[in-house]
Amino acid sequence: MHALGPSNRRQGAALRALLSETLGWEPMRGTARLAVDGVAYRVRLLARRRAMVALLCEAPLGTDLPDYAARRRLRRALVRRYPGLLALFTDAAHSEQVWSWTEPVAGVPVYCEASRRPDRLNPRLHWRLAALATRLEEAEGAQQGGTAPAGAVSAALLRLIRLRAPGLRAVVGDATVAAHVRVRRLIEESGDGAQLRAVWWALRTLRVLDPACGTGEWLLAARAALEPLYVACLERMQSAIDDLRRART
């Protein structure tokens, strides 16, 4: 059971003020309950910005901040109700938060996470959220990773991943089918360090050459396809480090 005491209300009000007064989001109110893996979470609406809804997902008393795998399952359940979602996960004591959202980077949706202590300022997180609305505007109507360079570099990455980690061949699948989607899923749904290291090794190893360079249009498109994959991999590695740190404390 949740106990919605003065501390919880203050945290919700502070987050709502942060989003509305500092970042220009429209305040929202409302509560709901969401059960995932047998754990009941309180979900509170905070604010809205364009097509995105920000909400706070509170762990019940006696439980810690949900780990990365649990946060992904919670997000999948929440996205069914709110397709554009900025989810703030917190433990019962509100001692730490993880902010998660899907951000269009170079025209490709990338899952992002950032940790925040309620009693500390995180300028980088504030800057990223302030820029999120602009990125969403720029991405409207854009094709999501369907260009020839995106497919070519992603297929090459999948071949390198299979070379590095033969045990992932069944997970990687056919490198010619929706390769950019498969690479993102390998990053975001990685359950162990070996899979994530294989993707990072492939990203660091891949080289793109264009003998008929011309104006460099193909190379720029390849860079735009690779950038979100780098971002997603770095975000996932940081989340893994944060989860390990929490488990040791």
Side-chain angles (χ1 to χ4, degrees):
M1 296 269 313
H2 283 276
L4 188 59
S7 175
N8 302 72
R9 293 192 182 95
R10 283 196 296 269
Q11 287 293 340
L15 288 168
R16 192 174 287 109
L18 169 66
L19 290 165
S20 60
E21 298 173 10
T22 306
L23 300 174
W25 291 51
E26 177 186 352
M28 296 181 67
R29 296 185 182 276
T31 61
R33 292 185 182 275
L34 177 65
V36 173
D37 298 334
V39 180
Y41 296 84
R42 181 189 294 275
V43 177
R44 289 199 277 168
L45 294 174
L46 297 175
R48 179 190 300 274
R49 179 66 185 269
R50 297 185 64 83
M52 292 198 72
V53 171
L55 53 81
L56 178 65
C57 188
E58 298 172 316
L61 291 174
T63 62
D64 297 325
L65 183 77
D67 61 15
Y68 180 85
R71 293 194 299 270
R72 292 282 297 172
R73 289 192 288 273
L74 282 164
R75 273 193 61 88
R76 283 197 291 268
L78 291 167
V79 164
R80 296 190 189 104
R81 305 181 190 180
Y82 310 101
L85 178 64
L86 169 61
L88 287 66
F89 298 101
T90 183
D91 56 351
H94 285 258
S95 61
E96 191 169 7
Q97 300 163 359
V98 171
W99 296 46
S100 73
W101 66 96
T102 300
E103 177 178 347
V105 180
V108 179
V110 174
Y111 179 73
C112 303
E113 281 197 348
S115 296
R116 176 181 181 268
R117 292 287 299 271
D119 57 343
R120 297 178 186 175
L121 181 66
N122 188 336
R124 181 170 178 267
L125 174 59
H126 291 193
W127 176 85
R128 292 180 69 180
L129 295 176
L132 180 57
T134 302
R135 287 183 176 270
L136 289 169
E137 293 175 5
E138 293 173 348
E140 286 181 355
Q143 189 175 6
Q144 301 299 311
T147 62
V153 297
S154 299
L157 281 170
L158 289 176
R159 286 192 291 270
L160 285 172
I161 293 169
R162 288 189 294 185
L163 177 65
R164 175 73 172 187
L168 293 178
R169 287 178 180 174
V171 180
V172 171
D174 185 355
T176 64
V177 179
H180 58 288
V181 175
R182 291 182 182 274
V183 175
R184 290 205 309 274
R185 286 178 178 172
L186 279 174
I187 296 171
E188 296 170 4
E189 299 176 4
S190 60
D192 56 67
Q195 181 170 321
L196 196 59
R197 285 194 297 271
V199 177
W200 181 244
W201 176 85
L203 283 168
R204 296 291 301 273
T205 305
L206 182 69
R207 299 292 183 268
V208 179
L209 302 176
D210 184 4
C213 184
T215 60
E217 181 178 349
W218 202 95
L219 291 173
L220 291 174
R223 176 188 178 277
L226 284 168
E227 179 186 358
L229 300 178
Y230 272 98
V231 172
C233 200
L234 289 170
E235 294 279 358
R236 179 66 186 97
M237 288 191 288
Q238 184 61 55
S239 295
I241 292 172
D242 291 343
D243 283 346
L244 182 62
R245 173 180 55 78
R246 295 187 191 100
R248 290 179 173 177
T249 57

